[in-house]
Amino acid sequence: MNRDGARKSIWQEEIKKFSPDPALEEWYDVAIVGAGITGMSTAVRLQKEGQKCIVLEASNIGFGTTGGTTAHLNDFFDTTYAQAIKDFGLRNAKLLKYVGIEAKNIIRNNILEFNISCDFQSKPGYLFALDDEQEKKLDTILKGASQVGHPMAQTDDIPFPFAFKKAAAIPDQAQFHPIKYVRSLAEAFIRLGGVLVEDCLCESHDENGDFVVLQSTKGSITARSVIYATHIPPGINMLHFMNAPYRSYAIAFRLKGDFHPKELGYDLAEPYHYYRTQQIDGESLLIAGGEDHKTGHADDTGECFSRLENYVREHFDVDTAVYSWSSQYYEPVDGLPYIGVLPGSKGKIYTATGFRGNGMIFGTITSQILGDLILKGSNKYKDLFNPERIRPITGFANFVKEQATVVLDFVKDKVFAEKMNSLAELSEGEAKVAKYDGESYAVYKEKGGELHLLKSTCTHARCEVRWNSAEISWDCPCHGSRFNVNGKMLTGPAVKNLQRIEL
Ligand SMILES: Cc1cc2nc3c(=O)[nH]c(=O)nc-3n(C[C@H](O)[C@H](O)[C@H](O)COP(=O)(O)OP(=O)(O)OC[C@H]3O[C@@H](n4cnc5c(N)ncnc54)[C@H](O)[C@@H]3O)c2cc1C
């Protein structure tokens, strides 16, 4: 199975590429774009309810962040209940509590109904504070959780090798193998009569009266409704200014000795580290994650792996790192996802984005929300996750400032590029953005010496791409589009490849 990065994630080697190649019909009830957990969960729900559905996927199922996740299934979120109470009120924070519970039930029901074998296990999670500042954070988290009636509670004991100041135990969390799950959903979808087309990039849409016409690289189709389950919708949309792309890093280690933590663990550092184990080929591997940063904002992405590895080795008795990979998520400006009608559309196009590090849950609940909106016109989470909500919260100013830095950096980059050495001075395996004859280029020299030359302007909103040495990709710091060294789009919102210059 392929993924949107050069490194292999723990999930993708076990699973072969799934390649149905059905013929496209002209007309469908619902066209779902993107075959990650969001797209496949929603497609199965709608097909089961008698809708004639098609899933169009630019690469293969699980190609996006679903193939690079760590698949903890939680009912507490990166946006804490305390924060949700402050920004959305107690009633909405209480509503948020049901999202995790209901999403886990949807997953359990799908597993039972479609006889899915995906290593699903319920287990407790532990949040632990390692210093005074983290302890204050944990106190606030516990207070917020108790206000909404969430059962997390202080504990004196954690099953992780950390000298902690304070900790909380969280019952009934879960984990699974995300690609076994999504692949089985895809198979169930096809058995139910759904159509799944891979290697099919959706390039544009046109809302035409009661229908939407989608243009894709495999032809055009017409649907009554379209769902962009693409992690961030393609094209230019208000949502690109309400969500910032971030990278997170994960390493799966072989463990020495007998200590194999069975539970889920999270510290409260900024950014936090997260831990779980997973059986792969009969062997229990420790998956640790963290070192998050804004996409395009790390000088050397390889160093993020080194820092994470050193940190894990300080605390766990681990042997070799068997897999290491990074992936992308989106931070919404007010902390909650956007799930509903695509802003600026005429009501026939839907989307789901801004999941932070909780997209297994938010992607799954999307099947309930968008399924209900399409079938019944309403859902209890409709207003909470309404993509058109505008919330003038405290973080907004910082968020805008952060986006402004991107523009400033972009200008600085151009000046910096002027001073760069000539293209020929790159070492093998090295890459840079270089100015040449008044134009800006993204240049990568392969091992063996072959040069790959691209126009460095992102095809989405014309920012300058930056090199990601860890995943051998060109990443856009503005909205998170990513491209391989040949210019092929790996991650939207772009829908066009970077222009390749043949040398
Ligand atoms: C390192 C890391 C760890 C994480 N860990 C967790 C965790 O433990 N628990 C949790 O709940 N969440 C976690 N998350 C978040 C979660 O993995 C994601 O939110 C989730 O996988 C997003 O799923 P998705 O289906 O919406 O998007 P994706 O999986 O990205 O799928 C989108 C699909 O759309 C396709 N696509 C894009 N544009 C087009 C187009 N124009 N035409 C056709 N197809 C297109 C892509 O190829 C892709 O396959 C983590 C995220 C990261 C980065």
Side-chain angles (χ1 to χ4, degrees):
M1 192 206 98
N2 298 324
R3 196 180 69 82
D4 64 4
R7 289 167 175 260
K8 287 249 178 308
S9 83
I10 191 169
W11 319 114
Q12 71 191 105
E13 267 202 318
E14 259 202 329
I15 309 279
K16 293 223 165 42
K17 191 172 186 293
F18 180 69
S19 295
D21 201 7
L24 259 68
E25 288 178 39
E26 256 181 37
W27 186 90
Y28 294 87
D29 289 319
V30 188
I32 296 114
V33 185
I37 189 160
T38 307
M40 285 323 310
S41 308
T42 311
V44 164
R45 155 92 202 270
L46 285 164
Q47 186 72 30
K48 212 169 72 176
E49 301 264 7
Q51 299 286 296
K52 181 180 171 187
C53 297
I54 184 168
V55 174
L56 305 170
E57 163 55 52
S59 298
N60 52 254
I61 59 167
F63 183 83
T65 302
T66 300
T69 187
T70 52
H72 299 230
L73 303 172
N74 303 120
D75 60 17
F76 64 98
F77 306 111
D78 291 356
T79 297
T80 62
Y81 289 113
Q83 194 64 44
I85 294 168
K86 194 161 162 258
D87 293 335
F88 295 85
L90 183 60
R91 199 178 63 85
N92 280 321
K94 281 186 173 166
L95 187 59
L96 181 65
K97 186 184 67 169
Y98 292 103
V99 169
I101 299 167
E102 287 176 10
K104 277 185 285 160
N105 283 341
I106 292 172
I107 293 172
R108 281 194 190 98
N109 289 341
N110 280 339
I111 289 172
L112 282 177
E113 182 170 355
F114 302 118
N115 202 13
I116 295 176
S117 159
C118 62
D119 312 333
F120 180 93
Q121 289 174 347
S122 283
K123 48 181 59 185
Y126 291 85
L127 273 176
F128 39 89
L130 302 176
D131 58 30
D132 291 346
E133 208 176 308
Q134 293 186 30
E135 187 177 358
K136 265 192 240 154
K137 236 192 250 181
L138 184 56
D139 285 336
T140 315
I141 289 174
L142 280 166
K143 189 171 167 219
S146 120
Q147 280 176 279
V148 300
H150 187 282
M152 72 168 74
Q154 198 184 330
T155 177
D156 293 334
D157 207 14
I158 64 167
F160 289 92
F162 288 91
F164 63 98
K165 295 206 77 166
K166 195 169 203 172
I170 312 149
D172 200 27
Q173 306 304 293
Q175 67 175 51
F176 68 171
H177 188 306
I179 296 302
K180 284 186 184 171
Y181 177 70
V182 170
R183 188 189 167 119
S184 300
L185 286 186
E187 287 164 352
F189 172 69
I190 292 168
R191 279 199 306 274
L192 289 164
V195 175
L196 168 57
V197 190
E198 293 185 313
D199 297 316
C200 178
L201 176 74
C202 283
E203 297 169 309
S204 63
H205 61 248
D206 187 12
E207 271 180 293
N208 214 339
D210 285 341
F211 302 99
V212 186
V213 180
L214 271 182
Q215 298 299 341
S216 82
T217 44
K218 291 201 170 164
S220 97
I221 60 152
T222 303
R224 228 194 289 272
S225 307
V226 166
I227 297 174
Y228 281 124
T230 45
H231 210 181
I232 186 89
I236 301 271
N237 190 273
M238 171 184 127
L239 288 176
H240 299 126
F241 303 94
M242 312 294 279
N243 289 280
Y246 277 73
R247 307 286 306 165
S248 188
Y249 295 78
I251 307 182
F253 294 92
R254 197 161 274 143
L255 282 151
K256 283 185 195 159
D258 294 334
F259 175 69
H260 291 199
K262 294 194 175 48
E263 297 78 4
L264 307 170
Y266 315 85
D267 66 24
L268 289 159
E270 195 60 62
Y272 67 95
H273 300 94
Y274 41 101
Y275 308 97
R276 60 165 283 196
T277 46
Q278 171 73 35
Q279 293 278 324
I280 295 286
D281 290 335
E283 188 179 18
S284 169
L285 302 179
L286 172 75
I287 306 175
E291 293 299 328
D292 306 15
H293 63 78
K294 195 152 191 279
T295 300
H297 282 240
D299 290 337
D300 181 354
T301 47
E303 265 182 24
C304 300
F305 285 110
S306 311
R307 279 198 299 274
L308 179 60
E309 176 158 358
N310 292 340
Y311 185 78
V312 173
R313 287 190 186 282
E314 268 174 40
H315 298 282
F316 292 86
D317 192 15
V318 290
D319 198 338
T320 39
V322 191
Y323 299 94
S324 60
W325 70 97
S326 68
S327 196
Q328 187 151 295
Y329 63 91
Y330 291 88
E331 286 279 335
V333 58
D334 64 8
L336 290 189
Y338 300 101
I339 306 170
V341 173
L342 182 74
S345 74
K346 294 176 191 150
K348 303 263 169 243
I349 304 179
Y350 301 82
T351 196
T353 187
F355 293 163
R356 304 193 77 181
N358 308 114
M360 296 289 105
I361 293 296
F362 288 127
T364 301
I365 206 70
T366 296
S367 66
Q368 189 209 92
I369 301 173
L370 296 189
D372 282 1
L373 290 184
I374 288 171
L375 297 168
K376 306 174 196 163
S378 191
N379 175 272
K380 66 178 169 192
Y381 301 116
K382 180 179 172 202
D383 293 336
L384 185 59
F385 299 139
N386 179 2
E388 287 197 320
R389 69 179 184 266
I390 304 279
R391 217 154 263 276
I393 55 153
T394 35
F396 192 77
N398 281 343
F399 188 86
V400 171
K401 236 187 267 162
E402 208 178 302
Q403 294 295 75
T405 334
V406 168
V407 178
L408 203 79
D409 285 352
F410 163 65
V411 176
K412 270 195 281 174
D413 254 15
K414 290 207 155 193
V415 177
F416 178 62
E418 298 266 13
K419 294 183 188 152
M420 275 188 175
N421 297 332
S422 73
L423 314 184
E425 283 176 12
L426 281 176
S427 311
E428 290 185 7
E430 220 191 339
K432 66 185 172 190
V433 173
K435 194 97 166 173
Y436 187 76
D437 209 14
E439 283 284 357
S440 200
Y441 298 98
V443 200
Y444 170 65
K445 194 185 252 178
E446 238 181 45
K447 297 219 165 62
E450 194 189 337
L451 269 184
H452 295 271
L453 189 58
L454 308 166
K455 282 271 181 75
S456 63
T457 311
C458 178
T459 53
H460 174 240
R462 315 210 62 74
C463 295
E464 199 86 333
V465 294
R466 304 231 179 118
W467 181 236
N468 178 344
S469 60
E471 296 288 1
I472 318 289
S473 61
W474 292 102
D475 297 359
C476 178
C478 294
H479 307 109
S481 297
R482 298 177 52 246
F483 307 86
N484 75 9
V485 293
N486 295 314
K488 183 177 182 295
M489 187 208 95
L490 295 171
T491 310
V495 287
K496 285 204 171 71
N497 298 334
L498 288 183
Q499 189 186 334
R500 189 176 162 84
I501 313 293
E502 296 302 337
L503 289 168

